[in-house]
Amino acid sequence: MLGVASLTNKALRTWLHGLPGVDQVGIEARAAALATRSIKTTSKSWAIDTAIGMIDLTTLEGADTPGKVRSLCAKAQLPDPSDLGTPQVAAVCVYGDMVGIAKEALGSSGIHVAAVATAFPSGRASLAVKLADTKDAVKAGADEIDMVIDRGAFLSGDYRLVFDQIAAVKEVCARPGDAPDAHLKVILETGELATYDNVRRASWLAMLAGADFIKTSTGKVQPAATMPVTLLMLEAVRDWRELTGEMVGVKPAGGIRTSKDALRYLVMVSEIAGDDWLSPDWFRFGASSLLTDLLLQRQKLRTGAYSGADYVTID
Amino acid sequence: MARLEVRKTYKLYIGGKFPRSESGRSYEVVSTGRSPKFLANAAQGSRKDIRDAVVAARGAVKGWSGATAYNRGQVLYRVGEILEGRREQFIAEVSASEGLTKPQATKIVDAAIDRWVWYAGWPDKLPQVLGNLNPVAGPYFDISAPEPTGVVGILAPQASSLLGLVSVIAPAIVSGNTVVVITSEDRPLPAISLGEVLATSDVPGGVVNIVTGRTAELAPWLASHADVNAIDLAGATELPWGELEAAAADTVKRVVRPAGDGADAVEPDWLEAPDLSRMTAFLETKTVWHPKGL
């Protein structure tokens, strides 16, 4: 696809730098314009349920305990005990050592377990350690692996290294026999990439290397997910499908806290990538407090009165 | 040379800021009296302004209720100081709003400032007066102490625009509650000026939130809001306040009814000396059992 005989850093560089530059003012204006859509009650109700079904309910703290992960899993399966019609979330996202506990707690609910790996969140470890980290999570049963790219290598222009690492991690995500492979989400950590051009290049680089999903951020760096950055990534996956026929998912993570934000992202998915992406298979929210706000809005629509934090479960 | 008139824009007071209504609406406020005169345009708050105000109030509960009672007393006294400094402004506003002569308005404003200062003395005394060491049949210290209820919604009195307002806000925040106030519908201007006083006197943003607008439109949203823990219906005398009480009951709120009964509900004479009842209405009792040893 790159039109070169051998995959050298130079070839990758030429190709990635050949991508059209991003019009910063234009993309920010476009994202802001998409955020002004008025969404009426019936659409809102659909959008809230859709957004809940797209959440990767996340806990990535040093202080995580098995108990905390179990209660998060309980909330993932039954987000609102006062309304059993509330959809389940898409996945629970935890550190690698908690995968077994989450897997057991979620049982046959169909909710995926996503594990962050490859020396998350910094990614500063040798490839051997990153692969071991990934293998460990895959072995424990993780359905999805959220890896971080080596931003240092990317920023210093060593695209080949980044490519190879993604490809290597992708390989260890495979399971032998009929067992389904773990899906690979590649975290670009856009807050550290400095420019929109870099975000576009990193998105394409990750897709070239075999990413199933591209994800904005770890949530540990500010700024995390923003509308313009997600818009760029949605453009990238749309163009990728046109070029290759394959679909790649997008996951904004970090900083999305309110239902209003979530609805704006859904508008953007529909407008930029297309309605095919409006499914948990192709679009996810990496969030923890977002679910609470979505549930409050859902209760507001159901009862007609504003709800309060006392009426949703804590995780 | 003639000066250009500098007109004041009366906005809402939410979370320590003065936003316009989310709805963009405003309404005309006119003076009371035989020949009503245009006073100002006030923001006509919407249900979403109420929602935002409740979010601000909820966010302020931890800091305000966690401050020491002594500190709360100091902050409230500081409000009294600044009220005193703005005395002339309040006299003019109350006079215009309520159709009073200057001496009558002066009496009301002085009473309002005195009322605030009276309440400012209460934060560190409430636990002493209402708290208790309970006699129990066992080797325990059994101690009860009052705690704030949380977020209190207040429908401010419709007639008494400043004295009545002070008489319902101050007792609620003394103990560490935060409040969302829907002002008098026709006389909202002194309330927004009170907001300016609060904003410049060390009261943390969000402790008092003031929304102007149509009481009948806003009250049901405040009464039914699940994140509001109590509601004072002082200003609901002209509304079917039983319905508001019923809505509040859905989430087991504490309710202070207007004075009088049913359709005969009236505003009390706010000049009368207050008792503890408006403070005790928004308190919960925490009881601690502590082993005494042998």
Side-chain angles (χ1 to χ4, degrees):
Chain A
M1 171 169 149
L2 301 180
V4 292
S6 66
L7 190 69
T8 60
N9 193 37
K10 184 152 179 289
L12 265 174
R13 185 184 174 79
T14 310
W15 196 86
L16 289 174
H17 284 252
L19 290 168
V22 180
D23 168 5
Q24 180 179 351
V25 175
I27 198 150
E28 284 172 2
R30 178 95 170 105
L34 287 172
T36 59
R37 296 284 172 84
S38 167
I39 297 164
K40 301 303 175 198
T41 315
T42 43
S43 313
K44 195 190 264 177
S45 163
W46 176 86
I48 287 173
D49 280 4
T50 307
I52 292 174
M54 288 177 169
I55 287 181
D56 279 8
L57 198 58
T58 303
T59 180
L60 296 171
E61 303 296 334
D64 283 348
T65 58
K68 167 112 193 265
V69 170
R70 279 191 205 104
S71 79
L72 196 74
C73 291
K75 183 164 184 174
Q77 296 174 72
L78 187 57
D80 187 352
S82 72
D83 181 2
L84 301 182
T86 312
Q88 293 185 338
V89 304
V92 168
C93 183
V94 292
Y95 272 115
D97 61 337
M98 294 292 176
V99 169
I101 290 152
K103 213 49 200 165
E104 191 191 332
L106 291 170
S108 59
S109 63
I111 298 174
H112 285 187
V113 175
V116 295
T118 70
F120 180 95
S122 68
R124 294 255 67 84
S126 69
L127 182 60
V129 171
K130 290 181 180 179
L131 292 180
D133 193 7
T134 311
K135 275 181 199 157
D136 196 39
V138 172
K139 198 173 156 208
D143 305 289
E144 301 169 3
I145 295 293
D146 288 27
M147 72 166 288
V148 289
I149 63 167
D150 184 341
R151 280 89 73 192
F154 181 87
L155 290 170
S156 55
D158 202 347
Y159 300 135
R160 178 68 201 271
L161 180 66
V162 178
F163 181 97
D164 287 347
Q165 289 195 350
I166 297 172
V169 173
K170 170 90 179 172
E171 239 167 66
V172 295
C173 284
R175 289 200 174 86
D178 288 341
D181 297 345
H183 276 244
L184 179 64
K185 302 204 201 92
V186 178
I187 303 172
L188 310 180
E189 194 62 297
T190 53
E192 291 183 344
L193 295 185
T195 67
Y196 288 128
D197 286 342
N198 277 342
V199 173
R200 178 167 282 171
R201 288 173 196 143
S203 303
W204 281 91
L205 183 61
M207 291 188 295
L208 286 167
D212 297 310
F213 253 80
I214 49 178
K215 173 174 167 185
T216 59
S217 327
T218 58
K220 306 287 185 194
V221 169
Q222 290 301 327
T226 64
M227 298 265 306
V229 154
T230 311
L231 194 154
L232 259 183
M233 291 164 63
L234 286 165
E235 284 180 349
V237 297
R238 175 196 65 193
D239 296 346
W240 178 263
R241 181 165 75 164
E242 248 167 54
L243 221 57
T244 66
E246 295 165 15
M247 272 173 81
V248 172
V250 177
K251 174 178 171 185
I256 306 168
R257 296 203 174 79
T258 64
S259 304
K260 203 177 252 180
D261 285 343
L263 264 49
R264 286 170 178 165
Y265 275 92
L266 290 183
V267 168
M268 200 161 66
V269 172
S270 166
E271 288 284 325
I272 304 295
D275 291 347
D276 292 349
W277 267 268
L278 281 177
S279 131
D281 293 339
W282 304 110
F283 193 78
R284 296 279 180 84
F285 291 107
S288 38
S289 57
L290 172 63
L291 179 58
T292 299
D293 195 65
L294 284 166
L295 294 177
L296 290 177
Q297 298 308 320
R298 204 171 182 279
Q299 291 176 355
K300 156 75 174 63
L301 287 179
R302 183 161 50 98
T303 63
Y306 287 116
S307 190
D310 291 347
Y311 296 87
V312 290
T313 51
I314 52 170
D315 34 63
Chain B
M1 207 174 85
R3 288 185 67 226
L4 267 179
E5 194 183 351
V6 181
R7 286 196 166 171
K8 182 164 157 183
T9 310
Y10 288 86
K11 295 187 280 189
L12 310 176
Y13 179 53
I14 295 175
K17 296 197 166 62
F18 293 93
R20 290 185 166 79
S21 168
E22 156 282 335
S23 64
R25 301 176 303 177
S26 61
Y27 67 110
E28 288 190 0
V29 178
V30 295
S31 62
T32 307
R34 244 169 288 159
S35 49
K37 188 167 103 275
F38 172 77
L39 292 178
N41 287 308
Q44 189 183 331
S46 67
R47 66 180 170 87
K48 291 187 180 173
D49 293 315
I50 294 288
R51 175 198 67 187
D52 293 347
V54 172
V55 170
R58 174 58 61 195
V61 167
K62 196 165 177 229
W64 184 242
S65 63
T68 60
Y70 178 68
N71 180 238
R72 277 202 304 275
Q74 282 182 316
V75 168
L76 293 179
Y77 187 77
R78 172 90 180 134
V79 175
E81 291 172 14
I82 295 182
L83 278 172
E84 184 73 22
R86 294 229 200 180
R87 191 161 161 266
E88 296 304 321
Q89 180 196 349
F90 279 108
I91 290 171
E93 278 181 353
V94 169
S95 164
S97 293
E98 301 185 17
L100 303 176
T101 62
K102 196 171 174 199
Q104 287 170 323
T106 305
K107 186 180 163 201
I108 295 286
V109 171
D110 286 350
I113 299 173
D114 293 349
R115 178 72 40 88
W116 191 282
V117 170
W118 186 77
Y119 276 117
W122 271 104
D124 53 352
K125 293 167 194 74
L126 268 186
Q128 302 178 46
V129 173
L130 301 174
N132 207 12
L133 185 63
N134 308 312
V136 290
Y140 298 98
F141 285 120
D142 188 273
I143 305 153
S144 291
E147 301 255 309
T149 297
V151 174
V152 178
I154 295 178
L155 307 189
Q158 298 295 336
S160 183
S161 62
L162 183 67
L163 179 58
L165 181 74
V166 163
S167 303
V168 292
I169 292 180
I173 62 177
V174 155
S175 54
N177 295 301
T178 62
V179 299
V180 174
V181 185
I182 300 173
T183 65
S184 163
E185 180 171 332
D186 295 332
R187 304 172 175 181
L189 305 188
I192 294 302
S193 295
L194 178 68
E196 290 165 8
V197 168
L198 296 166
T200 50
S201 57
D202 301 339
V203 178
V207 170
V208 178
N209 303 278
I210 299 173
V211 179
T212 56
R214 308 293 183 198
T215 311
E217 176 196 344
L218 301 177
W221 291 102
L222 189 59
S224 65
H225 198 308
D227 213 17
V228 173
N229 304 111
I231 190 158
D232 183 340
L233 298 175
T237 48
E238 301 298 318
L239 298 178
W241 57 265
E243 289 172 20
L244 296 176
E245 187 173 357
D250 273 345
T251 49
V252 216
K253 288 181 185 62
R254 298 199 174 275
V255 176
V256 174
R257 294 177 171 173
D261 237 359
D264 299 328
V266 288
E267 273 191 42
D269 177 6
W270 297 104
L271 279 167
E272 272 179 26
D275 55 19
L276 298 189
S277 60
R278 281 195 183 270
M279 288 188 283
T280 54
F282 306 121
L283 292 176
E284 311 296 326
T285 300
K286 180 164 92 178
T287 299
V288 179
W289 294 68
H290 190 283
K292 220 186 234 178
L294 297 170

